[in-house]
Amino acid sequence: SGDELDLAFSRWISTHYPETQISPLKARELRELHGCTSRSEKPAIMDLWVEGRIRKLDLTPGLTEILSGVAQKVVEAVLRLLKVADQESMPGLLEHIYLSGGLAGTRNLDAEVARLLIAAGLETVRVTSLSPVHTAESIALGGLKAARRARLDQWEVLAR
């Protein structure tokens, strides 16, 4: 979860910069502002209080370490869901993968998830990250769209 990542990032900072005290809340703010799944992004150089004065600290290695497994975990979850999905709806599912929640704002997460799904053998995928503002609306619209497309036998499975 995002809370676990924030705590891990806070611990990473404390380990690598012991003179800096940072709360998980501040770690979340920094992760949301500078978090990225790609190593090619610009470095995450941040101003933090160290022993009573502001210092520029490079937190890129910590962010990379903490966020490196996020895309892989998302891919594993998608692959588990695809195993139980109706095979006839598979093409539509693969083109409508939406990431939501706090981690969806991580830069390049959608591109990295798509890259890993393609590497896992799925040919046509489209992964989109949703902003928190659009998450609830998009989930509701997606549910409505899925409900309208469902066949009667699919509804009967849900009724059991």
PDB file of all heavy atoms in Angstrom, residues 69-104:
ATOM      1  N   GLY A  69       9.400  -2.046  -7.273  1.00  0.00           N
ATOM      2  CA  GLY A  69       8.553  -3.227  -7.341  1.00  0.00           C
ATOM      3  C   GLY A  69       7.076  -2.949  -7.556  1.00  0.00           C
ATOM      4  O   GLY A  69       6.292  -3.875  -7.758  1.00  0.00           O
ATOM      5  N   VAL A  70       6.686  -1.674  -7.548  1.00  0.00           N
ATOM      6  CA  VAL A  70       5.266  -1.343  -7.653  1.00  0.00           C
ATOM      7  C   VAL A  70       4.674  -1.815  -8.978  1.00  0.00           C
ATOM      8  O   VAL A  70       3.626  -2.467  -9.009  1.00  0.00           O
ATOM      9  CB  VAL A  70       5.034   0.169  -7.456  1.00  0.00           C
ATOM     10  CG1 VAL A  70       3.603   0.557  -7.758  1.00  0.00           C
ATOM     11  CG2 VAL A  70       5.390   0.570  -6.038  1.00  0.00           C
ATOM     12  N   ALA A  71       5.327  -1.512 -10.085  1.00  0.00           N
ATOM     13  CA  ALA A  71       4.801  -1.893 -11.397  1.00  0.00           C
ATOM     14  C   ALA A  71       4.690  -3.408 -11.508  1.00  0.00           C
ATOM     15  O   ALA A  71       3.699  -3.930 -12.031  1.00  0.00           O
ATOM     16  CB  ALA A  71       5.679  -1.337 -12.513  1.00  0.00           C
ATOM     17  N   GLN A  72       5.683  -4.126 -11.007  1.00  0.00           N
ATOM     18  CA  GLN A  72       5.655  -5.595 -11.074  1.00  0.00           C
ATOM     19  C   GLN A  72       4.489  -6.150 -10.258  1.00  0.00           C
ATOM     20  O   GLN A  72       3.827  -7.092 -10.682  1.00  0.00           O
ATOM     21  CB  GLN A  72       6.984  -6.178 -10.577  1.00  0.00           C
ATOM     22  CG  GLN A  72       7.079  -7.676 -10.755  1.00  0.00           C
ATOM     23  CD  GLN A  72       6.910  -8.126 -12.201  1.00  0.00           C
ATOM     24  OE1 GLN A  72       7.503  -7.563 -13.113  1.00  0.00           O
ATOM     25  NE2 GLN A  72       6.087  -9.132 -12.431  1.00  0.00           N
ATOM     26  N   LYS A  73       4.200  -5.564  -9.106  1.00  0.00           N
ATOM     27  CA  LYS A  73       3.070  -6.019  -8.283  1.00  0.00           C
ATOM     28  C   LYS A  73       1.744  -5.765  -8.986  1.00  0.00           C
ATOM     29  O   LYS A  73       0.834  -6.593  -8.926  1.00  0.00           O
ATOM     30  CB  LYS A  73       3.100  -5.352  -6.914  1.00  0.00           C
ATOM     31  CG  LYS A  73       4.201  -5.897  -6.031  1.00  0.00           C
ATOM     32  CD  LYS A  73       4.203  -5.247  -4.677  1.00  0.00           C
ATOM     33  CE  LYS A  73       5.354  -5.804  -3.854  1.00  0.00           C
ATOM     34  NZ  LYS A  73       5.435  -5.212  -2.537  1.00  0.00           N
ATOM     35  N   VAL A  74       1.639  -4.640  -9.669  1.00  0.00           N
ATOM     36  CA  VAL A  74       0.421  -4.341 -10.426  1.00  0.00           C
ATOM     37  C   VAL A  74       0.255  -5.367 -11.548  1.00  0.00           C
ATOM     38  O   VAL A  74      -0.838  -5.909 -11.764  1.00  0.00           O
ATOM     39  CB  VAL A  74       0.452  -2.908 -11.001  1.00  0.00           C
ATOM     40  CG1 VAL A  74      -0.700  -2.681 -11.980  1.00  0.00           C
ATOM     41  CG2 VAL A  74       0.417  -1.883  -9.874  1.00  0.00           C
ATOM     42  N   VAL A  75       1.341  -5.673 -12.250  1.00  0.00           N
ATOM     43  CA  VAL A  75       1.290  -6.648 -13.344  1.00  0.00           C
ATOM     44  C   VAL A  75       0.877  -8.020 -12.821  1.00  0.00           C
ATOM     45  O   VAL A  75       0.040  -8.696 -13.423  1.00  0.00           O
ATOM     46  CB  VAL A  75       2.653  -6.709 -14.080  1.00  0.00           C
ATOM     47  CG1 VAL A  75       2.731  -7.916 -15.000  1.00  0.00           C
ATOM     48  CG2 VAL A  75       2.871  -5.429 -14.856  1.00  0.00           C
ATOM     49  N   GLU A  76       1.439  -8.439 -11.710  1.00  0.00           N
ATOM     50  CA  GLU A  76       1.063  -9.734 -11.124  1.00  0.00           C
ATOM     51  C   GLU A  76      -0.421  -9.771 -10.789  1.00  0.00           C
ATOM     52  O   GLU A  76      -1.093 -10.771 -11.034  1.00  0.00           O
ATOM     53  CB  GLU A  76       1.913 -10.002  -9.878  1.00  0.00           C
ATOM     54  CG  GLU A  76       3.368 -10.296 -10.205  1.00  0.00           C
ATOM     55  CD  GLU A  76       4.280 -10.253  -8.986  1.00  0.00           C
ATOM     56  OE1 GLU A  76       3.783 -10.102  -7.843  1.00  0.00           O
ATOM     57  OE2 GLU A  76       5.510 -10.370  -9.184  1.00  0.00           O
ATOM     58  N   ALA A  77      -0.950  -8.677 -10.259  1.00  0.00           N
ATOM     59  CA  ALA A  77      -2.383  -8.613  -9.938  1.00  0.00           C
ATOM     60  C   ALA A  77      -3.229  -8.677 -11.207  1.00  0.00           C
ATOM     61  O   ALA A  77      -4.236  -9.395 -11.263  1.00  0.00           O
ATOM     62  CB  ALA A  77      -2.689  -7.340  -9.154  1.00  0.00           C
ATOM     63  N   VAL A  78      -2.811  -7.957 -12.248  1.00  0.00           N
ATOM     64  CA  VAL A  78      -3.552  -7.983 -13.521  1.00  0.00           C
ATOM     65  C   VAL A  78      -3.541  -9.390 -14.106  1.00  0.00           C
ATOM     66  O   VAL A  78      -4.575  -9.900 -14.552  1.00  0.00           O
ATOM     67  CB  VAL A  78      -2.956  -6.965 -14.529  1.00  0.00           C
ATOM     68  CG1 VAL A  78      -3.520  -7.183 -15.929  1.00  0.00           C
ATOM     69  CG2 VAL A  78      -3.217  -5.541 -14.060  1.00  0.00           C
ATOM     70  N   LEU A  79      -2.395 -10.048 -14.089  1.00  0.00           N
ATOM     71  CA  LEU A  79      -2.310 -11.399 -14.648  1.00  0.00           C
ATOM     72  C   LEU A  79      -3.184 -12.382 -13.871  1.00  0.00           C
ATOM     73  O   LEU A  79      -3.807 -13.267 -14.464  1.00  0.00           O
ATOM     74  CB  LEU A  79      -0.846 -11.864 -14.688  1.00  0.00           C
ATOM     75  CG  LEU A  79       0.058 -11.101 -15.669  1.00  0.00           C
ATOM     76  CD1 LEU A  79       1.503 -11.557 -15.534  1.00  0.00           C
ATOM     77  CD2 LEU A  79      -0.433 -11.240 -17.099  1.00  0.00           C
ATOM     78  N   ARG A  80      -3.254 -12.227 -12.530  1.00  0.00           N
ATOM     79  CA  ARG A  80      -4.141 -13.082 -11.726  1.00  0.00           C
ATOM     80  C   ARG A  80      -5.602 -12.857 -12.108  1.00  0.00           C
ATOM     81  O   ARG A  80      -6.378 -13.801 -12.233  1.00  0.00           O
ATOM     82  CB  ARG A  80      -3.950 -12.815 -10.229  1.00  0.00           C
ATOM     83  CG  ARG A  80      -2.769 -13.533  -9.614  1.00  0.00           C
ATOM     84  CD  ARG A  80      -2.805 -13.519  -8.089  1.00  0.00           C
ATOM     85  NE  ARG A  80      -2.996 -12.209  -7.510  1.00  0.00           N
ATOM     86  CZ  ARG A  80      -2.026 -11.342  -7.211  1.00  0.00           C
ATOM     87  NH1 ARG A  80      -0.767 -11.649  -7.467  1.00  0.00           N
ATOM     88  NH2 ARG A  80      -2.300 -10.172  -6.670  1.00  0.00           N
ATOM     89  N   LEU A  81      -5.974 -11.598 -12.300  1.00  0.00           N
ATOM     90  CA  LEU A  81      -7.356 -11.281 -12.683  1.00  0.00           C
ATOM     91  C   LEU A  81      -7.682 -11.813 -14.076  1.00  0.00           C
ATOM     92  O   LEU A  81      -8.795 -12.289 -14.323  1.00  0.00           O
ATOM     93  CB  LEU A  81      -7.589  -9.775 -12.632  1.00  0.00           C
ATOM     94  CG  LEU A  81      -7.643  -9.158 -11.244  1.00  0.00           C
ATOM     95  CD1 LEU A  81      -7.657  -7.642 -11.340  1.00  0.00           C
ATOM     96  CD2 LEU A  81      -8.855  -9.655 -10.475  1.00  0.00           C
ATOM     97  N   LEU A  82      -6.735 -11.733 -14.988  1.00  0.00           N
ATOM     98  CA  LEU A  82      -6.978 -12.201 -16.350  1.00  0.00           C
ATOM     99  C   LEU A  82      -7.206 -13.709 -16.401  1.00  0.00           C
ATOM    100  O   LEU A  82      -7.932 -14.197 -17.267  1.00  0.00           O
ATOM    101  CB  LEU A  82      -5.821 -11.809 -17.269  1.00  0.00           C
ATOM    102  CG  LEU A  82      -5.702 -10.314 -17.567  1.00  0.00           C
ATOM    103  CD1 LEU A  82      -4.458 -10.031 -18.389  1.00  0.00           C
ATOM    104  CD2 LEU A  82      -6.950  -9.774 -18.245  1.00  0.00           C
ATOM    105  N   LYS A  83      -6.624 -14.440 -15.463  1.00  0.00           N
ATOM    106  CA  LYS A  83      -6.813 -15.895 -15.435  1.00  0.00           C
ATOM    107  C   LYS A  83      -8.257 -16.278 -15.138  1.00  0.00           C
ATOM    108  O   LYS A  83      -8.716 -17.327 -15.573  1.00  0.00           O
ATOM    109  CB  LYS A  83      -5.893 -16.538 -14.398  1.00  0.00           C
ATOM    110  CG  LYS A  83      -4.449 -16.590 -14.829  1.00  0.00           C
ATOM    111  CD  LYS A  83      -3.595 -17.245 -13.771  1.00  0.00           C
ATOM    112  CE  LYS A  83      -2.131 -17.236 -14.189  1.00  0.00           C
ATOM    113  NZ  LYS A  83      -1.259 -17.794 -13.154  1.00  0.00           N
ATOM    114  N   VAL A  84      -8.967 -15.440 -14.405  1.00  0.00           N
ATOM    115  CA  VAL A  84     -10.360 -15.763 -14.048  1.00  0.00           C
ATOM    116  C   VAL A  84     -11.371 -14.979 -14.870  1.00  0.00           C
ATOM    117  O   VAL A  84     -12.570 -15.164 -14.724  1.00  0.00           O
ATOM    118  CB  VAL A  84     -10.618 -15.542 -12.537  1.00  0.00           C
ATOM    119  CG1 VAL A  84      -9.753 -16.459 -11.708  1.00  0.00           C
ATOM    120  CG2 VAL A  84     -10.414 -14.095 -12.153  1.00  0.00           C
ATOM    121  N   ALA A  85     -10.896 -14.101 -15.752  1.00  0.00           N
ATOM    122  CA  ALA A  85     -11.797 -13.290 -16.571  1.00  0.00           C
ATOM    123  C   ALA A  85     -12.394 -14.118 -17.699  1.00  0.00           C
ATOM    124  O   ALA A  85     -11.815 -15.113 -18.149  1.00  0.00           O
ATOM    125  CB  ALA A  85     -11.036 -12.102 -17.153  1.00  0.00           C
ATOM    126  N   ASP A  86     -13.546 -13.688 -18.150  1.00  0.00           N
ATOM    127  CA  ASP A  86     -14.209 -14.309 -19.289  1.00  0.00           C
ATOM    128  C   ASP A  86     -13.326 -14.110 -20.519  1.00  0.00           C
ATOM    129  O   ASP A  86     -12.978 -12.981 -20.871  1.00  0.00           O
ATOM    130  CB  ASP A  86     -15.583 -13.660 -19.496  1.00  0.00           C
ATOM    131  CG  ASP A  86     -16.317 -14.231 -20.679  1.00  0.00           C
ATOM    132  OD1 ASP A  86     -16.281 -15.463 -20.868  1.00  0.00           O
ATOM    133  OD2 ASP A  86     -16.928 -13.438 -21.427  1.00  0.00           O
ATOM    134  N   GLN A  87     -12.956 -15.196 -21.177  1.00  0.00           N
ATOM    135  CA  GLN A  87     -12.028 -15.135 -22.306  1.00  0.00           C
ATOM    136  C   GLN A  87     -12.559 -14.304 -23.474  1.00  0.00           C
ATOM    137  O   GLN A  87     -11.793 -13.697 -24.202  1.00  0.00           O
ATOM    138  CB  GLN A  87     -11.677 -16.550 -22.780  1.00  0.00           C
ATOM    139  CG  GLN A  87     -10.954 -17.373 -21.713  1.00  0.00           C
ATOM    140  CD  GLN A  87      -9.657 -16.722 -21.262  1.00  0.00           C
ATOM    141  OE1 GLN A  87      -8.818 -16.370 -22.069  1.00  0.00           O
ATOM    142  NE2 GLN A  87      -9.504 -16.542 -19.959  1.00  0.00           N
ATOM    143  N   GLU A  88     -13.880 -14.287 -23.646  1.00  0.00           N
ATOM    144  CA  GLU A  88     -14.449 -13.518 -24.755  1.00  0.00           C
ATOM    145  C   GLU A  88     -14.300 -12.015 -24.549  1.00  0.00           C
ATOM    146  O   GLU A  88     -14.272 -11.255 -25.510  1.00  0.00           O
ATOM    147  CB  GLU A  88     -15.923 -13.873 -24.932  1.00  0.00           C
ATOM    148  CG  GLU A  88     -16.135 -15.293 -25.422  1.00  0.00           C
ATOM    149  CD  GLU A  88     -17.607 -15.639 -25.527  1.00  0.00           C
ATOM    150  OE1 GLU A  88     -18.437 -14.717 -25.649  1.00  0.00           O
ATOM    151  OE2 GLU A  88     -17.916 -16.830 -25.488  1.00  0.00           O
ATOM    152  N   SER A  89     -14.210 -11.591 -23.317  1.00  0.00           N
ATOM    153  CA  SER A  89     -14.083 -10.157 -23.058  1.00  0.00           C
ATOM    154  C   SER A  89     -12.631  -9.712 -22.933  1.00  0.00           C
ATOM    155  O   SER A  89     -12.354  -8.537 -22.702  1.00  0.00           O
ATOM    156  CB  SER A  89     -14.846  -9.795 -21.778  1.00  0.00           C
ATOM    157  OG  SER A  89     -14.284 -10.466 -20.669  1.00  0.00           O
ATOM    158  N   MET A  90     -11.698 -10.634 -23.098  1.00  0.00           N
ATOM    159  CA  MET A  90     -10.271 -10.346 -22.899  1.00  0.00           C
ATOM    160  C   MET A  90      -9.751  -9.171 -23.734  1.00  0.00           C
ATOM    161  O   MET A  90      -9.085  -8.289 -23.191  1.00  0.00           O
ATOM    162  CB  MET A  90      -9.440 -11.600 -23.184  1.00  0.00           C
ATOM    163  CG  MET A  90      -8.046 -11.531 -22.659  1.00  0.00           C
ATOM    164  SD  MET A  90      -7.949 -11.553 -20.868  1.00  0.00           S
ATOM    165  CE  MET A  90      -8.527 -13.176 -20.499  1.00  0.00           C
ATOM    166  N   PRO A  91     -10.030  -9.108 -25.051  1.00  0.00           N
ATOM    167  CA  PRO A  91      -9.484  -7.975 -25.820  1.00  0.00           C
ATOM    168  C   PRO A  91      -9.921  -6.628 -25.266  1.00  0.00           C
ATOM    169  O   PRO A  91      -9.115  -5.704 -25.157  1.00  0.00           O
ATOM    170  CB  PRO A  91     -10.031  -8.203 -27.233  1.00  0.00           C
ATOM    171  CG  PRO A  91     -10.282  -9.669 -27.300  1.00  0.00           C
ATOM    172  CD  PRO A  91     -10.727 -10.067 -25.913  1.00  0.00           C
ATOM    173  N   GLY A  92     -11.177  -6.509 -24.881  1.00  0.00           N
ATOM    174  CA  GLY A  92     -11.656  -5.254 -24.307  1.00  0.00           C
ATOM    175  C   GLY A  92     -11.020  -4.943 -22.972  1.00  0.00           C
ATOM    176  O   GLY A  92     -10.717  -3.783 -22.661  1.00  0.00           O
ATOM    177  N   LEU A  93     -10.799  -5.974 -22.176  1.00  0.00           N
ATOM    178  CA  LEU A  93     -10.164  -5.773 -20.872  1.00  0.00           C
ATOM    179  C   LEU A  93      -8.744  -5.251 -21.018  1.00  0.00           C
ATOM    180  O   LEU A  93      -8.323  -4.348 -20.304  1.00  0.00           O
ATOM    181  CB  LEU A  93     -10.136  -7.086 -20.079  1.00  0.00           C
ATOM    182  CG  LEU A  93     -11.446  -7.603 -19.530  1.00  0.00           C
ATOM    183  CD1 LEU A  93     -11.254  -8.977 -18.893  1.00  0.00           C
ATOM    184  CD2 LEU A  93     -12.020  -6.628 -18.524  1.00  0.00           C
ATOM    185  N   LEU A  94      -8.003  -5.830 -21.938  1.00  0.00           N
ATOM    186  CA  LEU A  94      -6.598  -5.460 -22.099  1.00  0.00           C
ATOM    187  C   LEU A  94      -6.409  -4.029 -22.603  1.00  0.00           C
ATOM    188  O   LEU A  94      -5.367  -3.426 -22.402  1.00  0.00           O
ATOM    189  CB  LEU A  94      -5.896  -6.441 -23.034  1.00  0.00           C
ATOM    190  CG  LEU A  94      -5.779  -7.864 -22.495  1.00  0.00           C
ATOM    191  CD1 LEU A  94      -5.194  -8.790 -23.550  1.00  0.00           C
ATOM    192  CD2 LEU A  94      -4.948  -7.887 -21.234  1.00  0.00           C
ATOM    193  N   GLU A  95      -7.433  -3.511 -23.256  1.00  0.00           N
ATOM    194  CA  GLU A  95      -7.331  -2.145 -23.763  1.00  0.00           C
ATOM    195  C   GLU A  95      -7.904  -1.118 -22.795  1.00  0.00           C
ATOM    196  O   GLU A  95      -7.898   0.077 -23.073  1.00  0.00           O
ATOM    197  CB  GLU A  95      -8.030  -2.047 -25.121  1.00  0.00           C
ATOM    198  CG  GLU A  95      -7.300  -2.836 -26.188  1.00  0.00           C
ATOM    199  CD  GLU A  95      -7.964  -2.733 -27.542  1.00  0.00           C
ATOM    200  OE1 GLU A  95      -8.879  -1.901 -27.710  1.00  0.00           O
ATOM    201  OE2 GLU A  95      -7.558  -3.489 -28.441  1.00  0.00           O
ATOM    202  N   HIS A  96      -8.411  -1.593 -21.646  1.00  0.00           N
ATOM    203  CA  HIS A  96      -9.015  -0.691 -20.668  1.00  0.00           C
ATOM    204  C   HIS A  96      -8.518  -1.015 -19.263  1.00  0.00           C
ATOM    205  O   HIS A  96      -9.290  -1.360 -18.371  1.00  0.00           O
ATOM    206  CB  HIS A  96     -10.542  -0.783 -20.730  1.00  0.00           C
ATOM    207  CG  HIS A  96     -11.102  -0.333 -22.034  1.00  0.00           C
ATOM    208  ND1 HIS A  96     -11.332  -1.198 -23.075  1.00  0.00           N
ATOM    209  CD2 HIS A  96     -11.434   0.889 -22.483  1.00  0.00           C
ATOM    210  CE1 HIS A  96     -11.798  -0.519 -24.099  1.00  0.00           C
ATOM    211  NE2 HIS A  96     -11.866   0.744 -23.770  1.00  0.00           N
ATOM    212  N   ILE A  97      -7.230  -0.903 -19.054  1.00  0.00           N
ATOM    213  CA  ILE A  97      -6.638  -1.109 -17.732  1.00  0.00           C
ATOM    214  C   ILE A  97      -6.381   0.273 -17.143  1.00  0.00           C
ATOM    215  O   ILE A  97      -5.644   1.077 -17.712  1.00  0.00           O
ATOM    216  CB  ILE A  97      -5.331  -1.921 -17.812  1.00  0.00           C
ATOM    217  CG1 ILE A  97      -5.616  -3.307 -18.396  1.00  0.00           C
ATOM    218  CG2 ILE A  97      -4.681  -2.021 -16.439  1.00  0.00           C
ATOM    219  CD1 ILE A  97      -4.372  -4.123 -18.687  1.00  0.00           C
ATOM    220  N   TYR A  98      -7.030   0.529 -16.009  1.00  0.00           N
ATOM    221  CA  TYR A  98      -6.925   1.835 -15.372  1.00  0.00           C
ATOM    222  C   TYR A  98      -6.289   1.700 -14.001  1.00  0.00           C
ATOM    223  O   TYR A  98      -6.690   0.847 -13.215  1.00  0.00           O
ATOM    224  CB  TYR A  98      -8.303   2.494 -15.240  1.00  0.00           C
ATOM    225  CG  TYR A  98      -8.926   2.781 -16.574  1.00  0.00           C
ATOM    226  CD1 TYR A  98      -9.863   1.910 -17.132  1.00  0.00           C
ATOM    227  CD2 TYR A  98      -8.564   3.916 -17.300  1.00  0.00           C
ATOM    228  CE1 TYR A  98     -10.415   2.168 -18.376  1.00  0.00           C
ATOM    229  CE2 TYR A  98      -9.111   4.175 -18.542  1.00  0.00           C
ATOM    230  CZ  TYR A  98     -10.037   3.302 -19.069  1.00  0.00           C
ATOM    231  OH  TYR A  98     -10.573   3.555 -20.299  1.00  0.00           O
ATOM    232  N   LEU A  99      -5.310   2.549 -13.720  1.00  0.00           N
ATOM    233  CA  LEU A  99      -4.665   2.592 -12.417  1.00  0.00           C
ATOM    234  C   LEU A  99      -5.252   3.755 -11.647  1.00  0.00           C
ATOM    235  O   LEU A  99      -5.346   4.864 -12.168  1.00  0.00           O
ATOM    236  CB  LEU A  99      -3.150   2.783 -12.577  1.00  0.00           C
ATOM    237  CG  LEU A  99      -2.436   1.778 -13.470  1.00  0.00           C
ATOM    238  CD1 LEU A  99      -0.956   2.146 -13.601  1.00  0.00           C
ATOM    239  CD2 LEU A  99      -2.583   0.373 -12.930  1.00  0.00           C
ATOM    240  N   SER A 100      -5.648   3.494 -10.415  1.00  0.00           N
ATOM    241  CA  SER A 100      -6.219   4.557  -9.593  1.00  0.00           C
ATOM    242  C   SER A 100      -5.641   4.466  -8.189  1.00  0.00           C
ATOM    243  O   SER A 100      -4.919   3.541  -7.857  1.00  0.00           O
ATOM    244  CB  SER A 100      -7.745   4.424  -9.564  1.00  0.00           C
ATOM    245  OG  SER A 100      -8.116   3.216  -8.939  1.00  0.00           O
ATOM    246  N   GLY A 101      -5.979   5.427  -7.381  1.00  0.00           N
ATOM    247  CA  GLY A 101      -5.471   5.449  -6.016  1.00  0.00           C
ATOM    248  C   GLY A 101      -4.219   6.292  -5.926  1.00  0.00           C
ATOM    249  O   GLY A 101      -3.757   6.885  -6.910  1.00  0.00           O
ATOM    250  N   GLY A 102      -3.634   6.335  -4.738  1.00  0.00           N
ATOM    251  CA  GLY A 102      -2.491   7.193  -4.477  1.00  0.00           C
ATOM    252  C   GLY A 102      -1.272   6.910  -5.325  1.00  0.00           C
ATOM    253  O   GLY A 102      -0.537   7.813  -5.704  1.00  0.00           O
ATOM    254  N   LEU A 103      -1.036   5.650  -5.654  1.00  0.00           N
ATOM    255  CA  LEU A 103       0.162   5.320  -6.430  1.00  0.00           C
ATOM    256  C   LEU A 103      -0.015   5.578  -7.920  1.00  0.00           C
ATOM    257  O   LEU A 103       0.957   5.587  -8.663  1.00  0.00           O
ATOM    258  CB  LEU A 103       0.551   3.864  -6.198  1.00  0.00           C
ATOM    259  CG  LEU A 103       1.059   3.571  -4.789  1.00  0.00           C
ATOM    260  CD1 LEU A 103       1.269   2.079  -4.596  1.00  0.00           C
ATOM    261  CD2 LEU A 103       2.337   4.315  -4.515  1.00  0.00           C
ATOM    262  N   ALA A 104      -1.251   5.787  -8.360  1.00  0.00           N
ATOM    263  CA  ALA A 104      -1.486   6.033  -9.785  1.00  0.00           C
ATOM    264  C   ALA A 104      -0.803   7.317 -10.251  1.00  0.00           C
ATOM    265  O   ALA A 104      -0.523   7.474 -11.428  1.00  0.00           O
ATOM    266  CB  ALA A 104      -2.984   6.097 -10.079  1.00  0.00           C
TER     267      ALA A 104
END
